[in-house]
Amino acid sequence: GVKKINPDVIVVIITGFESMESALEAMRYGAYDYLIKPCPEIDLKMTIKRGLDKHSMERKLVDAERLAAITETALAANKEMKDPLNMILKEVESLLKKKEKLDEDTKKRLDVIMGEASRIGDVIKKMSTITKPIISQYIKDIKMLDIKKSNNQ
């Protein structure tokens, strides 16, 4: 039905035929409510308002759960990656302090390692501050968190 096309639609069935069987069937197929004609306009308006309020609360719950999952993942990544990343940075800094003993190619490679390791640290920090996650298409049927586009504070 309509819910398969757009699950965000609030379906209210209005019928002149009162039947418990048809009411249950409508609800089973995703109707929010079932009203019998003639129904006062105020009843219809209140039903629609309750349906919209319910939908709004469901969206907020889904968004809160998504944000919680992202935050938990970011904190876990931060915890598990921070120490090894800091060790890599310290080792590279230590090697770069002895620049006079290093050939140019090694210096360049160490600078690249330092830059990329710092970038990883920045991504981890940014993930832990996301307040409005943006999900983007990655490839075909796979989506991913777009860290650059996500609202951070």
Side-chain angles (χ1 to χ4, degrees):
V2 173
K3 294 295 250 178
K4 286 182 182 177
I5 297 169
N6 185 349
D8 292 334
V9 170
I10 295 141
V11 177
V12 177
I13 304 294
I14 302 173
T15 181
F17 304 103
E18 185 174 358
S19 153
M20 183 58 77
E21 186 178 304
S22 66
L24 290 173
E25 186 175 358
M27 298 305 205
R28 216 175 8 253
Y29 282 103
Y32 170 73
D33 208 344
Y34 184 92
L35 301 173
I36 309 298
K37 286 186 201 174
C39 83
E41 185 178 330
I42 189 73
D43 288 355
L44 178 58
K45 286 181 178 180
M46 290 304 295
T47 298
I48 292 169
K49 182 179 180 338
R50 281 193 317 270
L52 292 170
D53 289 347
K54 179 180 180 254
H55 178 69
S56 176
M57 286 187 283
E58 288 170 348
R59 291 294 318 148
K60 287 177 183 173
L61 179 61
V62 167
D63 290 347
E65 288 171 346
R66 179 183 292 153
L67 181 58
I70 289 168
T71 301
E72 290 165 6
T73 302
L75 291 172
N78 192 354
K79 178 183 177 295
E80 296 299 322
M81 289 187 216
K82 195 175 199 173
D83 290 341
L85 191 58
N86 284 337
M87 184 58 79
I88 291 168
L89 289 169
K90 284 180 184 177
E91 289 298 319
V92 171
E93 284 175 1
S94 174
L95 290 170
L96 287 172
K97 286 180 182 176
K98 303 171 189 171
K99 276 189 173 184
E100 65 280 346
K101 296 180 184 177
L102 302 173
D103 62 78
E104 282 305 309
D105 185 53
T106 303
K107 289 178 196 175
K108 285 180 185 177
R109 288 173 185 235
L110 288 172
D111 284 337
V112 168
I113 292 169
M114 179 70 96
E116 294 303 310
S118 295
R119 202 168 123 221
I120 291 169
D122 292 343
V123 168
I124 293 169
K125 284 179 196 170
K126 193 170 184 181
M127 281 179 60
S128 65
T129 62
I130 290 174
T131 57
K132 292 222 177 230
I134 303 294
I135 307 300
S136 297
Q137 196 70 33
Y138 179 58
I139 53 172
K140 198 171 179 174
D141 296 329
I142 299 173
K143 295 180 181 179
M144 70 173 203
L145 173 66
D146 190 327
I147 296 170
K148 289 180 182 176
K149 290 182 182 177
S150 293
N151 180 22
N152 295 282
Q153 294 188 1

